Amino acid sequence: MTNPGLVERRIAAETQQASLLNAFVFRRDGQIITPNEIDNFLLTNRVLAERQAVWEVSKQAGRL
């Protein structure tokens, strides 16, 4: 059996989290960088220091 109240609260929480993540603006050195640009950079760049910097940018949304 499901608990309708619990399901309702979970859906509301997931919707709010998705909304915050989708609206988040990632920035690297003050410049906007899109999630696709982050992915492409991590796929193609082999300079570890630069990869780490971009990877850290991708984690900015977790600080909300």
Side-chain angles (χ1 to χ4, degrees):
M1 297 194 77
T2 60
N3 180 334
L6 180 61
V7 170
E8 226 174 271
R9 289 192 306 273
R10 181 175 177 170
I11 290 171
E14 289 176 357
T15 301
Q16 181 184 12
Q17 290 170 349
S19 176
L20 288 172
L21 182 59
N22 291 337
F24 190 81
V25 177
F26 294 94
R27 294 187 183 275
R28 179 179 183 214
D29 300 326
Q31 300 295 318
I32 294 173
I33 184 170
T34 68
N36 285 341
E37 290 171 327
I38 291 170
D39 289 344
N40 289 336
F41 187 91
L42 293 174
L43 286 170
T44 59
N45 190 296
R46 297 292 172 237
V47 179
L48 292 179
E50 292 178 10
R51 286 175 53 85
Q52 181 176 353
V54 171
W55 180 83
E56 288 173 0
V57 167
S58 75
K59 304 305 172 203
Q60 290 174 351
R63 293 188 237 160
L64 296 176

